[in-house]
Every structure is written in C-alpha cells, then in structure tokens.
C-alpha cells in the first residue's frame, strides 16, 4: 500500500507514515470497541466489520487522499477484528481442552493464507490493479458465509 501511495503520488510521501499511524490507531481503538460489542451482540459485529472493511482495497488503490485514508482506517479495523474477535469466536466454539490446538491450527492456516494471498496480490499488482482489488474484495466477502455457517454449526 505504501508502495502504491508513493508510486502514484496519491498524497505526499510524508503522509504515508501518517496514514499508517491512522490505520494503527483505528485498529487499537477498534479492538476495544468491537470487543465490547462482540461480547454484547455476538457474531453480527464480526460480520459487519469484515463486510465494511472488505472495501479497503478500492479506497487505497483507487482513492485520492481522504478516500485512501478511509481505506487505511478500514484496513486497521479489519486487522483489529482479525487479531481479537476471531480468537474470541474460536474460544466460543471450541471446548476448553482443545483451544490451544485450535488457536495454533487457526494461526498456522491464517499465516499460510496470508502469505499466499499476499504473494498473489503482489503478482496481480503488477498485472492489473482492478484484478487486485476484485481479488481482495472477493476473498474478504467469501469469509462471511464461512463464519456464519461455522457459528450455526457450533450451536448444534
């Protein structure tokens, strides 16, 4: 993303660090706020955040200054959700004696998926920004039914 900002000149180079700071601040605040909301209302919070944050890619890769900043904030909210609410979700559906294994398996799968997705996005970046954006949005939106189905299955 930083490379894109520098390459296209969307925002002054010195603002790249500010955009990343905004992303980190959104993540820090979002983790606290969404954690509290998740405790009160459950899965719908995670689904809403992932839906909204799935549109970060069009904002950062096509947007001008303020739209790109909005994209960074959306990305920060997604990172906060991934690092906190997904663990809470796992804890809620896995028996206590299996949670360490579940967290380890999830983090391993998540890491491989993140690496593979990042590698593919790097390739797509060189080929076509619209394809990169489409891939990013599609992958994030495809997670929503998986979470919903997993939660419904855990209730049985």
């Amino acid at each position: 993303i930083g490379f894109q900002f520098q390459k296209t000149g969307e925002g002054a180079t010195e603002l790249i660090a500010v955009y990343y700071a905004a992303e980190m601040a959104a993540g820090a605040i979002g983790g606290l706020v969404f954690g509290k909301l998740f405790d009160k209302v459950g899965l719908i919070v995670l689904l809403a955040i992932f839906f909204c944050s799935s549109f970060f890619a069009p904002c950062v890769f096509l947007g001008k200054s303020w739209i790109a900043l909005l994209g960074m904030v959306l990305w920060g909210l997604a990172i906060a959700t991934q690092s906190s609410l997904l663990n809470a979700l796992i804890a809620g559906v896995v028996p206590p004696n299996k949670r360490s294994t579940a967290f380890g398996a999830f983090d391993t799968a998540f890491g491989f998926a993140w690496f593979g997705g990042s590698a593919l996005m790097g390739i797509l970046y060189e080929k076509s920004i619209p394809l990169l954006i489409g891939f990013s949005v599609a992958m994030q939106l495809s997670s929503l039914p998986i979470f919903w189905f997993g939660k419904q299955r855990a209730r049985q």
Side-chain angles (χ1 to χ4, degrees):
I1 293 170
F3 179 76
Q4 170 71 5
F5 289 160
Q6 190 170 24
K7 178 181 170 187
T8 62
E10 296 303 334
T13 303
E14 61 271 6
L15 289 180
I16 294 172
V18 173
Y19 284 14
Y20 274 100
E23 178 261 329
M24 297 299 287
I29 294 166
L32 292 171
V33 171
F34 299 139
K36 207 157 195 46
L37 282 172
F38 184 80
D39 288 342
K40 290 181 189 234
V41 297
L43 182 66
I44 194 71
V45 173
L46 185 135
L47 295 173
I49 297 163
F50 276 5
F51 176 79
C52 292
S53 66
S54 68
F55 298 102
F56 92 89
C59 292
V60 298
F61 288 104
L62 297 176
K64 304 290 185 218
S65 186
W66 288 104
I67 300 297
L69 179 60
L70 171 65
M72 293 299 290
V73 168
L74 290 173
W75 186 39
L77 297 178
I79 296 298
T81 302
Q82 291 169 0
S83 63
S84 62
L85 298 187
L86 289 182
N87 287 335
L89 185 65
I90 291 168
V93 297
V94 176
N97 63 328
K98 302 282 186 188
R99 286 185 187 150
S100 294
T101 302
F103 290 140
F106 174 78
D107 284 343
T108 300
F110 188 87
F112 279 116
W114 186 293
F115 175 77
S118 295
L120 182 54
M121 287 178 79
I123 292 166
L124 291 174
Y125 183 83
E126 292 295 319
K127 305 283 183 202
S128 167
I129 296 293
L131 279 177
L132 169 112
I133 292 167
F135 173 75
S136 175
V137 171
M139 289 297 100
Q140 289 181 294
L141 291 177
S142 71
S143 71
L144 300 179
I146 295 167
F147 291 124
W148 184 256
F149 177 74
K151 184 67 170 177
Q152 298 304 319
R153 187 138 166 96
R155 289 183 188 164
Q156 298 174 352

